[in-house]
Amino acid sequence: MDAAVDASTSQFELNEDQRAIQEMAEAFAADRVAPNALDWDRNKHFPADVIRETGPLGLGGIYISDDVGGSALGRLDAVLIFEALSRADPAFSSFISIHNMVASMIDRFGSNEQRRRFLPKLTSMEWLASYCLTEPGSGSDAAALKTRAVKGGGDYVLNGVKQFISGAGDSDIYIVMARTSADGPKGISTFVVPKDAPGLSFGANEHKMGWHMQSTRQVIFEDCKVPAQNLLSVEGAGFGIAMAGLDGGRLNIAACSLGGAQSALDKALAYTAERKAFGSKINQFQALQFKLADMETELQAARIFLYAAASKLDRNAPDASKWSAMAKRFVTDIGFNVANDALQLHGGYGYLHDYGIEKLVRDLRVHQILEGTNEIMRVIIARALIGR
Ligand SMILES: Cc1cc2nc3c(=O)[nH]c(=O)nc-3n(C[C@H](O)[C@H](O)[C@H](O)COP(=O)(O)OP(=O)(O)OC[C@H]3O[C@@H](n4cnc5c(N)ncnc54)[C@H](O)[C@@H]3O)c2cc1C
């Protein structure tokens, strides 16, 4: 563990278990993820085998109950894990984050029968999971979704299209928000849809700026039959379930930005200590020293803020949602800026794939957009401050 991370975590007096969890995730990331991250990115390779290796380490169900194979850890523990993984590859870490978000929704809102049916295979990572909320016509305004689920006999029949779904086509389980009545957000229900459900198909893998190691596809429902036993909770509860999943998901995504940005700062420190211009190491120019000082300050502020927000969620604090939104907005903005500054400090070499910096900038950019854009985070924060 490097001094930068160690010094900041002491603010939160991490206990021995938390340090052990952090070190375990760092060791796995350094050994199995970091050496491959650039290849996965270049070849758009989804490393299902390495993702599945995280199951036995307890990372398939980080904050899932232990009776179904989860690790029953807290949200701060999870943040430490995602931060550590994303120092090796934010895109890899983000996929594990989405998988955990889906598993936690089933753990929290599923019946005991559903928990036992789905969670042991999700926590072990035998099955991988995706989250399907966004549609071509509704992203930020998620409650305007149009995918329909109509009950007939012992099944629901789903029709509609989900857009931008991470892991689509590779995942085994899809948690899907669909409309069971016309009643706005109260007409939305949540279904667990297995990959082999009749009438389920996937669009082409999108060509995108970053996150190349995971697919992003449409998920298409054409008279897709899902057994009624796959409805989570009750009809109409789906929007609340979707938003509850995102509260924690937002902290995880912020942690992925934090780890990626820390990696960028570490690379910039090493590079500026070696690179020479005008007869001296470039880290001797005060303008660049000030830049590095600002990057460190902002990243440490982001880290402390994120850990505080995670502690709020662990304690079920009444303002935990507002803190999750503030942390997501703040940490993903800082993370992107730090990575972008690190690219600038590398000069032209920062623009080359082999230096690993441009990948970080590309990967971190989308964290400002998904799991609620940073504008929507401001909407949530402002509502909490001043009411609707
Ligand atoms: C790589 C990638 C992976 C993704 N993975 C998933 C996934 O796995 N599952 C899933 O369900 N979704 C996923 N998404 C979708 C993502 O969550 C949406 O793209 C995001 O919520 C924004 O929705 P939109 O793209 O429709 O933009 P829009 O909602 O159309 O927004 C366009 C712009 O308007 C702004 N805006 C909208 N409303 C307001 C407002 N009230 N006030 C101020 N500004 C506003 C937005 O902030 C944005 O800048 C993914 C997206 C990407 C790019």
Side-chain angles (χ1 to χ4, degrees), residues 98 131-135 138-141 163-166 208 211 216 366 369-376 379:
I98 294 168
Y131 174 92
C132 308
L133 177 65
T134 307
E135 299 188 356
S138 60
S140 301
D141 186 10
Q163 178 76 11
F164 292 127
I165 305 307
S166 302
K208 56 190 190 289
W211 274 31
T216 306
V366 78
I369 297 171
L370 45 68
E371 308 223 349
T373 66
N374 284 4
E375 289 75 31
I376 293 303
V379 171

Side-chain angles (χ1 to χ4, degrees), residues 63 96-105 131 245-246 249 252 371:
Y63 37 88
I96 310 273
S97 155
I98 294 168
H99 174 92
N100 271 273
M101 176 167 74
V102 171
S104 77
M105 290 161 73
Y131 174 92
L246 284 178
N252 300 349
E371 308 223 349

Side-chain angles (χ1 to χ4, degrees), residues 146-176:
K146 289 199 164 75
T147 295
R148 289 209 146 270
V150 177
K151 196 167 183 189
D155 293 317
Y156 282 91
V157 178
L158 272 61
N159 277 290
V161 176
K162 294 291 175 180
Q163 178 76 11
F164 292 127
I165 305 307
S166 302
D170 293 310
S171 286
D172 306 278
I173 291 289
Y174 297 82
I175 204 152
V176 178

